[in-house]
Amino acid sequence: MATIWIVLNFVLIILAFYLILHLYQNIRLLQKTSTEEIAKEIDAVFHVYIEDTRTENEKLIVALKQMLQENQTAAKRKPQRKKTKTLDNTAEKKATELQPGFKQMLDREIGQADTEQTSARENAPIAANDWFPPIDQINDTVEESPTLKAIKLQKQGLTPAEIAKKLGCGEGEVLLLLKMQEKGN
């Protein structure tokens, strides 16, 4: 009878090892697929980010072109002045690092745009709908910190309990404020 139990026990142990091995393989397979899925999700997110960046760049290019066209039309209306500002070496290097079209636009417009914008700002009338805050109605108030109040009251000779009553806080808080101030000095 004992041999039957030993054989049955041995068979159950072998079955348990087989099931453990089978579960281990399934877990590894799931981990591998989840890692691949995460990699695919990350890749998809990067692609979406790149596309968003690309569309934002295209919008920026369109806005820059419109701004340059507006500057060119404004320059045609006013008499042209000599270029007073020249690019230094670092600015030229930065311009050459930009896309080819931007370098040409920068070379053309840098002198004209600066002088025209400053003259336009100086000569521009203030519109009636420009709003300014009512400065005369602003009243500044200075408020002391609780630490400063506690120190002043302590210098007057009040105990921490009396200071806490006047400040409306706990005595432990007042003691903490005073100790922190002592360590700071």
Side-chain angles (χ1 to χ4, degrees), residues 10-85:
F10 185 70
V11 169
L12 288 174
I13 290 173
I14 290 174
L15 181 65
F17 279 127
Y18 173 75
L19 290 175
I20 290 171
L21 180 64
H22 185 67
L23 287 173
Y24 177 74
Q25 289 175 345
N26 285 340
I27 289 172
R28 288 201 50 163
L29 181 65
L30 286 174
Q31 285 176 344
K32 184 178 179 183
T33 56
S34 67
T35 304
E36 290 173 355
E37 289 174 3
I38 291 171
K40 287 179 183 177
E41 288 176 13
I42 290 172
D43 192 38
V45 168
F46 278 137
H47 283 298
V48 169
Y49 175 74
I50 289 171
E51 285 300 317
D52 287 345
T53 305
R54 185 176 294 136
T55 56
E56 288 294 321
N57 287 343
E58 290 171 357
K59 288 179 185 178
L60 176 66
I61 289 170
V62 168
L64 285 174
K65 285 181 182 178
Q66 289 175 352
M67 189 172 70
L68 287 174
Q69 287 175 354
E70 290 172 3
N71 285 343
Q72 287 175 353
T73 56
K76 289 178 183 177
R77 289 186 211 146
K78 293 185 178 183
Q80 294 186 359
R81 298 180 183 176
K82 293 181 182 179
K83 288 187 178 181
T84 57
K85 196 174 192 181

Side-chain angles (χ1 to χ4, degrees), residues 65 68-69 71-72 75 80 83 85 87 100-114 116:
K65 285 181 182 178
L68 287 174
Q69 287 175 354
N71 285 343
Q72 287 175 353
Q80 294 186 359
K83 288 187 178 181
K85 196 174 192 181
L87 290 174
F102 285 113
K103 182 179 178 350
Q104 294 171 352
M105 288 186 280
L106 284 174
D107 290 338
R108 250 184 297 147
E109 298 297 322
I110 196 157
Q112 294 175 357
D114 287 343
E116 290 172 7

